[in-house]
Amino acid sequence: MKVYFLGTGTSQGIPVIGSNHPVCKSTDFKDKRLRVSVWISWENYSFIIDCGPDFRQQMLSSNCQKVNGILFTHEHSDHTAGIDDIRPFNFKQGEIPIYAHQRVIHNLKKRFDYVFETVNKYPGSPSVKTIEVINDQPFAIGNKTAVPINVMHGNLQVFGYRIDDFAYLTDVKTIEKTEIAKLQNLKVLVVNALREERHDTHFNLKEALDFITLLQPEKAYLTHISHIMGYHEEVQKNLPANVFLAYDNLEIKI
């Protein structure tokens, strides 16, 4: 299974519009971060986790040719606002399944009502099939099983996903022991680490590292990274040997 990091930044991305922060001025490509998303592929299957406002650019950069489905973590715009740009895949493949919490599906229907129109639907609009994700109910994606992981983003429920020995968690601040139990014996864990300073709704770096220590995956990759975290190369030097700061267009194999 291949995991391709389409984006590793926060809701503003890096560089931030109008910012003079040194990281936003960096010439290192690893310091330039689109909104957070991953592309997971194996055999003839291809799935995306989250579809943010940089989706079109990410699909072109990664040369992704097919999307069998999109798994949504939650409804915030940096994770959903690119849904209109699935249209080229619709034209080639037809309807695209989307997997999400019922609340998220309802939110998408309000914000992108034309996508879900059943009467007089505009023929060029995106076409999706909604599949509700329910906690404690694993579901099939291709010939694999996705296990939803229930976490909290402040007061907002968010889903992470485990597929085989890989788990992807973003926008996490707290997680119950029952959910932690679903994350044992991982080969690769991807988890958010916003910055060094504390944040009300995201793991900071210490919280993410403590979480990694608790789970003991073979390798861990940090994502959803703010410019305030610092330069990629400087942060990486101070991480444990099995922990890596992810960056856009990084591809790993599991």
Side-chain angles (χ1 to χ4, degrees):
M1 186 166 69
K2 295 180 181 179
V3 177
Y4 188 109
F5 289 85
L6 296 166
T8 56
T10 63
S11 59
Q12 296 185 91
I14 304 174
V16 176
I17 294 172
S19 174
N20 289 314
H21 189 281
V23 173
C24 292
K25 300 293 185 180
S26 172
T27 57
D28 184 351
F29 72 92
K30 293 181 181 179
D31 287 323
K32 300 182 187 304
R33 302 182 186 276
L34 300 177
R35 267 61 75 92
V36 68
S37 177
V38 288
W39 168 27
I40 304 167
S41 60
W42 68 93
E43 298 173 12
N44 197 37
Y45 296 102
S46 175
F47 286 83
I48 306 294
I49 302 182
D50 286 336
C51 176
D54 300 315
F55 182 74
R56 176 182 176 274
Q57 182 179 350
Q58 291 165 338
M59 293 297 94
L60 293 172
S61 297
S62 64
N63 195 32
C64 181
Q65 297 291 311
K66 180 176 71 170
V67 174
N68 292 115
I70 302 170
L71 285 65
F72 285 109
T73 59
H74 63 297
E75 63 268 44
H76 285 167
S77 285
D78 54 325
H79 299 260
T80 59
I83 194 169
D84 190 78
D85 282 323
I86 68 170
R87 289 181 297 147
F89 294 112
N90 289 142
F91 300 151
K92 290 200 302 181
Q93 302 170 213
E95 193 174 64
I96 304 289
I98 62 171
Y99 304 78
H101 190 284
Q102 184 181 42
R103 182 198 74 244
V104 176
I105 294 171
H106 179 70
N107 179 276
L108 292 173
K109 286 181 175 179
K110 287 176 62 179
R111 291 164 54 212
F112 302 97
D113 56 341
Y114 65 97
V115 175
F116 301 90
E117 181 62 67
T118 57
V119 179
N120 298 322
K121 181 180 175 70
Y122 181 70
S125 61
S127 181
V128 300
K129 175 185 178 182
T130 59
I131 301 169
E132 181 184 353
V133 178
I134 301 172
N135 195 38
D136 293 324
Q137 294 189 19
F139 56 95
I141 54 169
N143 61 358
K144 293 187 182 294
T145 299
V147 179
I149 310 296
N150 202 50
V151 303
M152 296 302 294
H153 176 30
N155 294 322
L156 181 70
Q157 179 276 343
V158 171
F159 274 134
Y161 297 100
R162 177 175 184 158
I163 304 163
D164 292 346
D165 296 327
F166 165 76
Y168 181 84
L169 304 176
T170 186
D171 291 49
V172 181
K173 181 61 178 182
T174 57
I175 179 170
E176 297 291 336
K177 290 181 179 179
T178 53
E179 304 303 306
I180 291 173
K182 301 173 184 176
L183 295 168
Q184 302 304 308
N185 303 312
L186 292 170
K187 289 183 179 178
V188 173
L189 168 69
V190 178
V191 66
N192 61 294
L194 187 72
R195 61 193 192 191
E196 290 191 9
E197 295 83 2
R198 185 185 180 281
H199 192 273
D200 288 340
T201 62
H202 291 273
F203 276 164
N204 66 4
L205 180 58
K206 181 180 184 303
E207 289 167 331
L209 293 176
D210 287 347
F211 186 63
I212 292 164
T213 299
L214 175 66
L215 289 183
Q216 291 292 306
E218 291 182 14
K219 292 182 179 180
Y221 291 83
L222 304 178
T223 193
H224 206 291
I225 298 158
S226 165
H227 61 291
I228 299 171
M229 178 75 87
Y231 293 110
H232 182 281
E233 292 301 332
E234 292 182 5
V235 175
Q236 182 62 60
K237 289 176 185 177
N238 296 314
L239 295 178
N242 69 328
V243 180
F244 306 91
L245 208 60
Y247 54 88
D248 290 17
N249 304 310
L250 169 67
E251 182 179 273
I252 60 174
K253 295 181 180 180
I254 303 171

PDB file of all heavy atoms in Angstrom, residues 26 28 36 49-50 59 61 109 113 150 169 173 206 233:
ATOM      1  N   SER A  26      10.433  30.861   3.294  1.00  0.00           N
ATOM      2  CA  SER A  26      11.426  29.816   3.054  1.00  0.00           C
ATOM      3  C   SER A  26      11.421  29.375   1.590  1.00  0.00           C
ATOM      4  O   SER A  26      10.375  29.302   0.943  1.00  0.00           O
ATOM      5  CB  SER A  26      11.138  28.609   3.946  1.00  0.00           C
ATOM      6  OG  SER A  26      11.969  27.507   3.607  1.00  0.00           O
ATOM      7  N   ASP A  28      12.787  26.373   0.868  1.00  0.00           N
ATOM      8  CA  ASP A  28      12.788  24.913   0.973  1.00  0.00           C
ATOM      9  C   ASP A  28      11.401  24.388   0.604  1.00  0.00           C
ATOM     10  O   ASP A  28      10.404  24.773   1.220  1.00  0.00           O
ATOM     11  CB  ASP A  28      13.155  24.502   2.398  1.00  0.00           C
ATOM     12  CG  ASP A  28      13.273  22.987   2.573  1.00  0.00           C
ATOM     13  OD1 ASP A  28      12.919  22.233   1.645  1.00  0.00           O
ATOM     14  OD2 ASP A  28      13.706  22.566   3.666  1.00  0.00           O
ATOM     15  N   VAL A  36      -4.357  19.797   4.302  1.00  0.00           N
ATOM     16  CA  VAL A  36      -4.019  18.423   4.674  1.00  0.00           C
ATOM     17  C   VAL A  36      -4.907  17.387   3.992  1.00  0.00           C
ATOM     18  O   VAL A  36      -6.125  17.493   3.970  1.00  0.00           O
ATOM     19  CB  VAL A  36      -4.056  18.284   6.209  1.00  0.00           C
ATOM     20  CG1 VAL A  36      -5.458  18.417   6.758  1.00  0.00           C
ATOM     21  CG2 VAL A  36      -3.409  17.002   6.667  1.00  0.00           C
ATOM     22  N   ILE A  49      -8.263  10.602   1.491  1.00  0.00           N
ATOM     23  CA  ILE A  49      -8.827  11.038   2.775  1.00  0.00           C
ATOM     24  C   ILE A  49      -8.824  12.562   2.785  1.00  0.00           C
ATOM     25  O   ILE A  49      -7.769  13.189   2.748  1.00  0.00           O
ATOM     26  CB  ILE A  49      -8.053  10.485   3.975  1.00  0.00           C
ATOM     27  CG1 ILE A  49      -8.028   8.952   3.961  1.00  0.00           C
ATOM     28  CG2 ILE A  49      -8.691  10.992   5.287  1.00  0.00           C
ATOM     29  CD1 ILE A  49      -7.307   8.327   5.153  1.00  0.00           C
ATOM     30  N   ASP A  50     -10.014  13.124   2.775  1.00  0.00           N
ATOM     31  CA  ASP A  50     -10.287  14.559   2.754  1.00  0.00           C
ATOM     32  C   ASP A  50      -9.996  15.191   1.392  1.00  0.00           C
ATOM     33  O   ASP A  50      -9.120  14.745   0.643  1.00  0.00           O
ATOM     34  CB  ASP A  50      -9.573  15.304   3.872  1.00  0.00           C
ATOM     35  CG  ASP A  50     -10.222  15.065   5.222  1.00  0.00           C
ATOM     36  OD1 ASP A  50     -11.423  14.732   5.253  1.00  0.00           O
ATOM     37  OD2 ASP A  50      -9.529  15.197   6.260  1.00  0.00           O
ATOM     38  N   MET A  59      -4.192  16.831  -7.183  1.00  0.00           N
ATOM     39  CA  MET A  59      -4.386  15.755  -8.148  1.00  0.00           C
ATOM     40  C   MET A  59      -3.437  15.903  -9.335  1.00  0.00           C
ATOM     41  O   MET A  59      -2.887  14.916  -9.838  1.00  0.00           O
ATOM     42  CB  MET A  59      -5.839  15.734  -8.635  1.00  0.00           C
ATOM     43  CG  MET A  59      -6.861  15.361  -7.580  1.00  0.00           C
ATOM     44  SD  MET A  59      -6.673  13.674  -6.928  1.00  0.00           S
ATOM     45  CE  MET A  59      -5.645  13.972  -5.472  1.00  0.00           C
ATOM     46  N   SER A  61      -0.454  17.500  -9.265  1.00  0.00           N
ATOM     47  CA  SER A  61       0.920  17.295  -8.789  1.00  0.00           C
ATOM     48  C   SER A  61       1.228  15.818  -8.570  1.00  0.00           C
ATOM     49  O   SER A  61       2.337  15.357  -8.841  1.00  0.00           O
ATOM     50  CB  SER A  61       1.149  18.064  -7.483  1.00  0.00           C
ATOM     51  OG  SER A  61       1.015  19.452  -7.683  1.00  0.00           O
ATOM     52  N   LYS A 109     -24.492  18.612   2.182  1.00  0.00           N
ATOM     53  CA  LYS A 109     -25.731  18.818   1.421  1.00  0.00           C
ATOM     54  C   LYS A 109     -26.217  20.256   1.527  1.00  0.00           C
ATOM     55  O   LYS A 109     -26.833  20.787   0.587  1.00  0.00           O
ATOM     56  CB  LYS A 109     -26.806  17.856   1.916  1.00  0.00           C
ATOM     57  CG  LYS A 109     -26.583  16.416   1.473  1.00  0.00           C
ATOM     58  CD  LYS A 109     -27.701  15.501   1.967  1.00  0.00           C
ATOM     59  CE  LYS A 109     -27.520  14.092   1.419  1.00  0.00           C
ATOM     60  NZ  LYS A 109     -28.580  13.166   1.890  1.00  0.00           N
ATOM     61  N   ASP A 113     -25.399  22.074  -2.179  1.00  0.00           N
ATOM     62  CA  ASP A 113     -26.704  21.474  -2.471  1.00  0.00           C
ATOM     63  C   ASP A 113     -26.824  20.998  -3.920  1.00  0.00           C
ATOM     64  O   ASP A 113     -27.463  19.990  -4.209  1.00  0.00           O
ATOM     65  CB  ASP A 113     -27.834  22.450  -2.122  1.00  0.00           C
ATOM     66  CG  ASP A 113     -27.717  23.801  -2.822  1.00  0.00           C
ATOM     67  OD1 ASP A 113     -26.603  24.127  -3.297  1.00  0.00           O
ATOM     68  OD2 ASP A 113     -28.720  24.515  -2.879  1.00  0.00           O
ATOM     69  N   ASN A 150     -12.803   7.239  16.425  1.00  0.00           N
ATOM     70  CA  ASN A 150     -13.542   8.408  16.894  1.00  0.00           C
ATOM     71  C   ASN A 150     -12.649   9.267  17.792  1.00  0.00           C
ATOM     72  O   ASN A 150     -12.152   8.797  18.817  1.00  0.00           O
ATOM     73  CB  ASN A 150     -14.775   7.940  17.680  1.00  0.00           C
ATOM     74  CG  ASN A 150     -15.851   8.984  17.756  1.00  0.00           C
ATOM     75  OD1 ASN A 150     -16.246   9.556  16.756  1.00  0.00           O
ATOM     76  ND2 ASN A 150     -16.341   9.233  18.956  1.00  0.00           N
ATOM     77  N   LEU A 169      -4.831  10.076  11.475  1.00  0.00           N
ATOM     78  CA  LEU A 169      -5.600  10.882  12.422  1.00  0.00           C
ATOM     79  C   LEU A 169      -5.212  12.336  12.241  1.00  0.00           C
ATOM     80  O   LEU A 169      -4.036  12.681  12.338  1.00  0.00           O
ATOM     81  CB  LEU A 169      -5.305  10.470  13.874  1.00  0.00           C
ATOM     82  CG  LEU A 169      -5.523   9.010  14.261  1.00  0.00           C
ATOM     83  CD1 LEU A 169      -5.074   8.790  15.704  1.00  0.00           C
ATOM     84  CD2 LEU A 169      -6.987   8.622  14.119  1.00  0.00           C
ATOM     85  N   LYS A 173      -7.484  16.409  19.261  1.00  0.00           N
ATOM     86  CA  LYS A 173      -7.079  17.006  20.524  1.00  0.00           C
ATOM     87  C   LYS A 173      -7.195  15.992  21.661  1.00  0.00           C
ATOM     88  O   LYS A 173      -6.316  15.918  22.524  1.00  0.00           O
ATOM     89  CB  LYS A 173      -7.934  18.243  20.840  1.00  0.00           C
ATOM     90  CG  LYS A 173      -7.547  18.939  22.146  1.00  0.00           C
ATOM     91  CD  LYS A 173      -6.110  19.439  22.131  1.00  0.00           C
ATOM     92  CE  LYS A 173      -5.761  20.160  23.421  1.00  0.00           C
ATOM     93  NZ  LYS A 173      -4.386  20.691  23.409  1.00  0.00           N
ATOM     94  N   LYS A 206       4.360  18.300  21.555  1.00  0.00           N
ATOM     95  CA  LYS A 206       4.564  17.414  22.700  1.00  0.00           C
ATOM     96  C   LYS A 206       3.424  16.400  22.833  1.00  0.00           C
ATOM     97  O   LYS A 206       3.662  15.206  23.096  1.00  0.00           O
ATOM     98  CB  LYS A 206       4.684  18.219  23.997  1.00  0.00           C
ATOM     99  CG  LYS A 206       4.932  17.346  25.230  1.00  0.00           C
ATOM    100  CD  LYS A 206       5.051  18.160  26.497  1.00  0.00           C
ATOM    101  CE  LYS A 206       5.394  17.265  27.689  1.00  0.00           C
ATOM    102  NZ  LYS A 206       4.424  16.163  27.906  1.00  0.00           N
ATOM    103  N   GLU A 233      13.494  21.355   8.297  1.00  0.00           N
ATOM    104  CA  GLU A 233      14.753  20.680   8.591  1.00  0.00           C
ATOM    105  C   GLU A 233      15.169  20.847  10.040  1.00  0.00           C
ATOM    106  O   GLU A 233      15.711  19.922  10.651  1.00  0.00           O
ATOM    107  CB  GLU A 233      15.859  21.198   7.661  1.00  0.00           C
ATOM    108  CG  GLU A 233      15.676  20.809   6.206  1.00  0.00           C
ATOM    109  CD  GLU A 233      15.631  19.296   5.989  1.00  0.00           C
ATOM    110  OE1 GLU A 233      16.229  18.548   6.785  1.00  0.00           O
ATOM    111  OE2 GLU A 233      14.994  18.866   5.012  1.00  0.00           O
TER     112      GLU A 233
END
